[in-house]
Amino acid sequence: MSVLDKVWHPYMFRNVGEKYCTVLLNQPILDPALAFSLWEKSSYRVTVDGGTSVWAKLINNSNFSIGKEVPDLITGDFDSADKENIEYFKSMGAEVVETMDQDRTDFTKCLDEIGKRCCTANPSDLQRSDNDISAVYAYVENSGRLDQIMANLQTLFLSEEYLGSVSVYLINSESLSWLLKPGRHTIHLPQKLVTDNGNEVDILDSLHCGLIPLAGPTTATTTGLKWNLTNDELKFGALISTSNGFAAKEVTVVCDKPLLWTMDVLKRC
């Protein structure tokens, strides 16, 4: 069995020409500028159930100039979306797919639908589709019901089933999080880190990060952090690595079980 060795570029969405998908879930958006930036540069755009109404409200009450307001895809069981919003976007060209399976969350079912449209069936194929993406950014605030937050983390565990090797990130006004599967991971931060007002200064020392052992006791080794781990066991009731920080713009993590990686979101970079 091959050992996973994955490189992460979590801020690829800041670059022009990157092919990724933006997903809006059903939570109020606290950082419209970040949400619009994600949306505008993405190659595929999806709203999930009530996230459709969140998006409609946002664009109807914003001064931002938006090149494409209409989602490419709208999914969900539609128990929380305003039907008028769905019908309006459908009339403007959005594909609407009702996903009624109650054994999976709307977010999980959404990744299933994205996989059917934006991922090559065989990742080893040399002939890649023009629709292929390398990442999914799901915008959802870490607020509201705790069970829904945990359900979003559960979807990270399931994403490989639907998207293969496509990276899936949870992003919001404060943090950027994703799942590190067992293996070796290299995380690259942007070379230029700037403050919210655009000053090009190194703010590396002020950034926070954490490694959370959601899958039970996990042995991990890291480099590039303020407080590195060396074959340390992370588990609830003992040691977990929260409020950690960066010592370098490249971090490596080796783990034997899935770890949730979370860090401050960079407003500008």
Side-chain angles (χ1 to χ4, degrees), residues 173-209:
S173 59
E174 298 294 335
S175 64
L176 181 60
S177 310
W178 65 95
L179 195 68
L180 306 179
K181 298 291 181 68
R184 176 184 171 85
H185 303 268
T186 304
I187 301 167
H188 290 280
L189 271 61
Q191 287 304 303
K192 285 187 176 181
L193 302 177
V194 300
T195 60
D196 286 351
N197 60 13
N199 293 328
E200 290 190 10
V201 297
D202 198 334
I203 59 172
L204 188 69
D205 191 56
S206 66
L207 296 177
H208 304 94
C209 62

Side-chain angles (χ1 to χ4, degrees), residues 22-75:
T22 293
V23 174
L24 298 184
L25 301 182
N26 186 21
Q27 277 286 329
I29 292 174
L30 302 183
D31 189 343
L34 175 60
F36 284 134
S37 177
L38 277 169
W39 185 273
E40 280 290 272
K41 293 180 181 178
S42 57
S43 57
Y44 199 74
R45 304 162 180 88
V46 183
T47 58
V48 180
D49 208 327
T52 309
S53 298
V54 171
W55 177 243
K57 181 178 180 181
L58 194 66
I59 61 178
N60 288 330
N61 295 277
S62 171
N63 294 323
F64 285 91
S65 177
I66 308 166
K68 182 174 180 180
E69 296 184 350
V70 180
D72 295 292
L73 177 67
I74 299 173
T75 69

Side-chain angles (χ1 to χ4, degrees), residues 235-253:
K235 69 176 181 179
F236 286 97
L239 173 69
I240 61 173
S241 181
T242 59
S243 299
N244 208 325
F246 294 88
K249 294 177 182 176
E250 179 179 296
V251 172
T252 65
V253 179

